[in-house]
Amino acid sequence: MKLQKPSLRTLLTATAAAATLLAVGLPTAAQTQAKYKDEYRMSLVLGIAFPWGQGGQLWADKVRERTNGRINIKLYPGTSLVQGDQTREFSAIRQGVIDMAVGSTINWSPQVKALNLFSLPFLFPDFAAVDAVTQGAPGQEIFKILDKAGVQPLAWGENGYREISNSKHAITQPADLKGLKLRVVGSPLFLDTFTALGANPTQMSWADAQPAMASKAVDGQENPLSVFQAAKLQSVGQKHVTLWGYMNDPLIFVVNKDVWASWTPEDREIVRQAAIDAGREEIAIARKGLVEAGKPLVKELEALGVTVTDLNAEQRKAFADATKAVYTKWKPQIGTNLVDMAEKAIAARK
């Protein structure tokens, strides 16, 4: 069958229709670009003096460089976008008050129960155990849970093992915590853990914690050594530190879902890979001085007049035994299957 050539009138009509579609319906490259914000707000608890803030800065820098400036990110440390209330951060990300964040599993655990996994007392005996969970099947399961909870998770970072300090005396056994007034974050699991150990836990934001220690309103706190060092906690009376490794605080790089959907697939992949790369670098920064022979960071603190007590396995077990009831109570609240998955991954770690 012989095909007929379209008439001039048909061609003109089709051309006009296409022009109309382009004018009113189909976005041009410039129009697509215009959907991007001039600036995206990243929430952080700690600033760039700390490994946590450095992780956020690394992410922001990599994204800006790799997108040729299409995505520009400004850091808001001190959870200033939620008036310093760390436990409100996750809800603010879902609501779009915050565009993206590098957040703590502790701070987000009130909204996402599964994140309490990392706060279970004495679950993680070493860094290899942490990696087995975050980089393995349990970590993937947690990302699925976060996705269902309304944010886009991208990568893992790390605040570190939270070690306990105080202004009174060395802590070597559970009885040494009796009556100590300790600043803790706003997590019910933390309250249960320290109450079980005989301490007097007091919920307090990080912004309020240092003045409280300086004024002796609280006796101590628990945080990674990198935080202790950067915040110079020895200057507010924290003269005794015990390395007990009772829990590790991973960080999670996330983006608000509407923001995520507004980017092209190519830019989403750039942001994801930038988060993975930044997270890997941030973890190395957070562990610096603790994974090398002799733990140089401990030596630096001792040189500042801090007494550092490093518990042996038997001493650590005494604390684990004292908090076993807390572990048992919280396991079903977190999700028995998830905890079992984590325990299995830790047992099989190399």
Side-chain angles (χ1 to χ4, degrees), residues 33-349:
Q33 182 69 28
K35 292 180 181 178
Y36 282 38
K37 296 182 182 182
D38 291 336
E39 177 184 285
Y40 293 89
R41 296 175 295 182
M42 180 193 295
S43 180
L44 300 159
V45 170
L46 299 177
I48 59 174
F50 303 84
W52 191 334
Q54 291 170 39
Q57 188 67 67
L58 284 165
W59 189 20
D61 290 345
K62 291 178 189 298
V63 169
R64 183 178 60 253
E65 178 183 347
R66 296 176 187 182
T67 62
N68 296 315
R70 288 190 301 280
I71 299 176
N72 293 293
I73 301 165
K74 182 176 180 181
L75 276 56
Y76 287 82
T79 44
S80 56
L81 295 172
V82 284
Q83 293 75 53
D85 187 346
Q86 297 164 218
T87 58
R88 287 177 52 208
E89 186 179 53
F90 187 80
S91 296
I93 300 166
R94 285 191 303 196
Q95 294 162 1
V97 175
I98 295 170
D99 297 317
M100 54 212 306
V102 180
S104 161
T105 58
I106 300 168
N107 294 337
W108 296 353
S109 63
Q111 288 80 37
V112 185
K113 284 281 190 180
L115 295 180
N116 283 290
L117 172 72
F118 299 99
S119 299
L120 280 174
F122 303 98
L123 172 60
F124 297 93
D126 49 41
F127 286 119
V130 179
D131 292 341
V133 171
T134 59
Q135 306 304 318
Q140 294 170 11
E141 183 62 25
I142 288 170
F143 272 21
K144 291 177 185 176
I145 293 169
L146 286 169
D147 181 71
K148 290 179 182 177
V151 302
Q152 180 65 48
L154 301 178
W156 292 95
E158 185 170 283
N159 193 25
Y161 275 98
R162 298 179 76 92
E163 314 294 11
I164 191 167
S165 74
N166 78 100
S167 59
K168 301 287 188 181
H169 51 247
I171 295 172
T172 61
Q173 58 185 340
D176 294 330
L177 271 78
K178 187 173 182 179
L180 282 183
K181 193 171 185 179
L182 299 175
R183 175 266 174 180
V184 298
V185 296
S187 163
L189 177 46
F190 276 59
L191 293 177
D192 284 353
T193 296
F194 284 94
T195 299
L197 291 168
N200 179 12
T202 301
Q203 293 183 356
M204 191 179 296
S205 73
W206 180 242
D208 294 333
Q210 288 169 274
M213 284 182 272
S215 67
K216 308 296 183 184
V218 296
D219 300 315
Q221 60 84 58
E222 44 77 59
N223 253 310
L225 290 190
S226 61
V227 173
F228 187 104
Q229 181 191 45
K232 299 180 173 62
L233 294 189
Q234 75 279 357
S235 68
V236 290
Q238 298 298 291
K239 299 297 185 182
H240 301 277
V241 172
T242 293
L243 308 184
W244 63 339
Y246 88 110
M247 62 87 60
N248 188 288
D249 180 20
L251 304 175
I252 306 177
F253 292 63
V254 307
V255 177
N256 166 271
K257 282 207 166 186
D258 289 337
V259 170
W260 183 254
S262 73
W263 294 333
T264 64
E266 292 78 14
D267 280 345
R268 285 179 215 155
E269 187 52 38
I270 289 173
V271 173
R272 184 193 303 277
Q273 190 58 51
I276 292 169
D277 294 343
R280 189 179 298 115
E281 292 178 35
E282 190 277 336
I283 289 171
I285 295 169
R287 295 179 182 180
K288 186 178 180 182
L290 295 172
V291 293
E292 301 86 351
K295 296 182 179 177
L297 180 53
V298 172
K299 297 293 189 291
E300 290 175 25
L301 293 181
E302 289 175 333
L304 294 172
V306 179
T307 299
V308 181
T309 302
D310 196 352
L311 299 186
N312 60 35
E314 185 178 352
Q315 289 172 315
R316 191 172 183 270
K317 184 178 184 301
F319 285 94
D321 289 344
T323 55
K324 194 64 180 176
V326 177
Y327 191 108
T328 302
K329 170 188 173 181
W330 276 86
K331 183 172 180 177
Q333 295 186 50
I334 293 165
T336 300
N337 289 341
L338 179 62
V339 178
D340 286 344
M341 190 186 300
E343 291 171 345
K344 183 177 178 181
I346 291 168
R349 75 190 184 282

